[in-house]
Amino acid sequence: MSATRRVARALDALRHGWAVRVGPWVLLPAETGFGAGVASGHMLISAARATTLKLANQRDAAEPESPVLIRGAEGFDLSLARAMGDPALDLANPLKGPFLAQPIADHDSAVAAMELARLAGVLPAFLVDPSGVEEAQEVSAADLEDWKDPRHLSIASRARLPVSVCESAEIVAFRALDDLREHVALVLGRQSADRVPLVRLHSECLTGDVLGSLKCDCGPQLDAALAAMADEANDGGWGVLLYLRQEGRGIGLVNKLRAYQLQDQGFDTVDANQRLGLPNEARDFPVAARMLELLGVHGIRLMTNNPAKVETLKSVGVNVIERVAHALPANPHNARYLATKRDRSGHFL
């Protein structure tokens, strides 16, 4: 079985609540796992959750999503494991201790397990070597690295697609080996080597793009980007919208909604992600670089307010010739969200 297929099966297993074997451990996802009498003396959780549990030796963890192996005085059943994994439930489920952090013998495997949980869209919390589990899908950290390699991405199909802002447009779909996500590019205007295209990387946002959410600025940013690219096309230039299937900056729809719950409790967007044990930025920028390469785009004028995005794209080989500002007015529902982007993530707003 190929490395990428092992990862695909592992992601499917985590979504269904089945166990995976990563390195030395059999791991059952706390959120989706099931089974009569399933229990374990250990859990793998994030450093952010370890901090919430008052494990003092984890307070200074540099990355909230880093893995921590803990032992419970009385062990963990699935009910307690789920309460342990979801900080949005802390107010309703006071946690019981004490808990003790233990050394992790295979750190790379533990990190891979946490990333697999993120990619599967489940909470980064596992029962370790639980009783009552007979089969586990085997996967390794090396398998995950191979699955993520953008060389697997290729153009699957393309077609003319007139859109409301520009009748001269083409949609291009990309597919990677053993990855169900299908990223797309929308090319507006006539592609030409004589003009540097206006490019926007837009991560999928169901709530903003489709439902008109006022909690973020994703929908208005998408509309404004398409309008600006249409203006370029009408002036003899062209634009490229990369629509990346990376909901919630890569944490998935369900976890994004959990972050919304934490925001309703008073946490900002950065702290909400951290309390979930998830990175504030988990988007796959090498995928965007590969899409541009396959499209034959060698230099871009990037629409963004995020200087870190510019530097990250440059680091993966994208020639960003110019940063084009893309700020939009706030509304009463997203003012704090935008302020957090400015004050904690360094956006130019």
Side-chain angles (χ1 to χ4, degrees):
M1 188 186 300
S2 70
T4 58
R5 182 170 294 186
R6 284 192 292 270
V7 173
R9 288 192 173 190
L11 295 176
D12 188 57
L14 293 178
R15 295 186 188 106
H16 282 86
W18 303 329
V20 297
R21 178 180 288 279
V22 188
W25 307 295
V26 170
L27 301 172
L28 187 70
E31 178 185 348
T32 56
F34 61 92
V38 170
S40 173
H42 293 81
M43 283 191 68
L44 192 67
I45 61 172
S46 70
R49 286 304 278 161
T51 299
T52 301
L53 297 172
K54 307 292 192 258
L55 295 174
N57 56 339
Q58 298 299 331
R59 288 184 186 278
D60 298 325
E63 297 179 343
E65 66 272 20
S66 296
V68 176
L69 181 67
I70 64 169
R71 177 169 61 84
E74 299 179 1
F76 306 95
D77 59 16
L78 281 171
S79 178
L80 177 57
R82 286 166 182 151
M84 292 281 295
D86 191 351
L89 303 178
D90 282 351
L91 295 179
N93 296 275
L95 297 176
K96 299 178 181 180
F99 306 106
L100 179 67
Q102 308 247 277
I104 295 179
D106 188 342
H107 185 73
D108 289 345
S109 292
V111 170
M114 304 303 273
E115 187 165 10
L116 285 166
R118 177 185 64 80
L119 290 167
V122 301
L123 290 166
F126 296 95
L127 290 172
V128 178
D129 293 330
S131 60
V133 174
E134 297 181 357
E135 296 183 14
Q137 171 61 44
E138 189 161 349
V139 66
S140 70
D143 293 339
L144 181 58
E145 285 305 305
D146 188 53
W147 184 85
K148 291 164 51 181
D149 194 318
R151 79 180 190 279
H152 296 306
L153 194 73
S154 61
I155 293 176
S157 185
R158 59 199 309 164
R160 188 178 69 87
L161 183 70
V163 294
S164 60
V165 294
C166 179
E167 294 186 4
S168 176
E170 180 186 31
I171 187 168
V172 185
F174 301 79
R175 181 181 289 158
L177 190 65
D178 294 318
D179 184 353
L180 293 178
R181 297 174 300 173
E182 294 169 336
H183 307 287
V184 300
L186 186 68
V187 181
L188 285 77
R190 186 169 179 270
Q191 185 167 344
S192 169
D194 298 331
R195 295 280 290 267
V196 178
L198 188 61
V199 173
R200 170 73 180 166
L201 274 62
H202 189 89
S203 295
E204 178 182 32
C205 178
L206 173 69
T207 50
D209 300 342
V210 178
L211 303 178
S213 168
L214 298 176
K215 287 180 69 71
C216 63
D217 59 346
C218 299
Q221 279 197 330
L222 177 59
D223 293 340
L226 290 173
M229 291 174 191
D231 290 341
E232 290 280 319
N234 291 334
D235 193 37
W238 57 299
V240 181
L241 175 79
L242 300 185
Y243 195 83
L244 305 171
R245 302 296 299 280
Q246 301 180 132
E247 182 80 46
R249 288 175 167 245
I251 68 172
L253 176 62
V254 174
N255 281 329
K256 183 176 83 169
L257 299 187
R258 290 191 174 105
Y260 282 176
Q261 285 182 285
L262 291 171
Q263 290 169 37
D264 289 341
Q265 294 176 20
F267 298 98
D268 67 22
T269 50
V270 172
D271 286 337
N273 277 32
Q274 290 181 350
R275 286 184 71 85
L276 285 165
L278 296 166
N280 184 51
E281 176 59 87
R283 288 175 289 188
D284 191 343
F285 290 107
V287 163
R290 173 67 172 162
M291 292 169 71
L292 292 170
E293 177 188 4
L294 290 170
L295 289 171
V297 177
H298 305 295
I300 66 172
R301 295 162 52 228
L302 182 66
M303 298 185 72
T304 184
N305 304 314
N306 184 0
K309 182 185 286 187
V310 175
E311 295 307 313
T312 301
L313 285 173
K314 287 181 177 179
S315 73
V316 294
V318 177
N319 182 17
V320 182
I321 294 171
E322 178 188 0
R323 183 189 72 84
V324 179
H326 193 45
L328 297 170
N331 68 58
H333 300 277
N334 69 13
R336 188 185 182 199
Y337 165 79
L338 294 176
T340 301
K341 274 189 173 183
R342 179 193 64 215
D343 299 338
R344 301 198 62 184
S345 301
H347 290 223
F348 295 134
L349 294 173

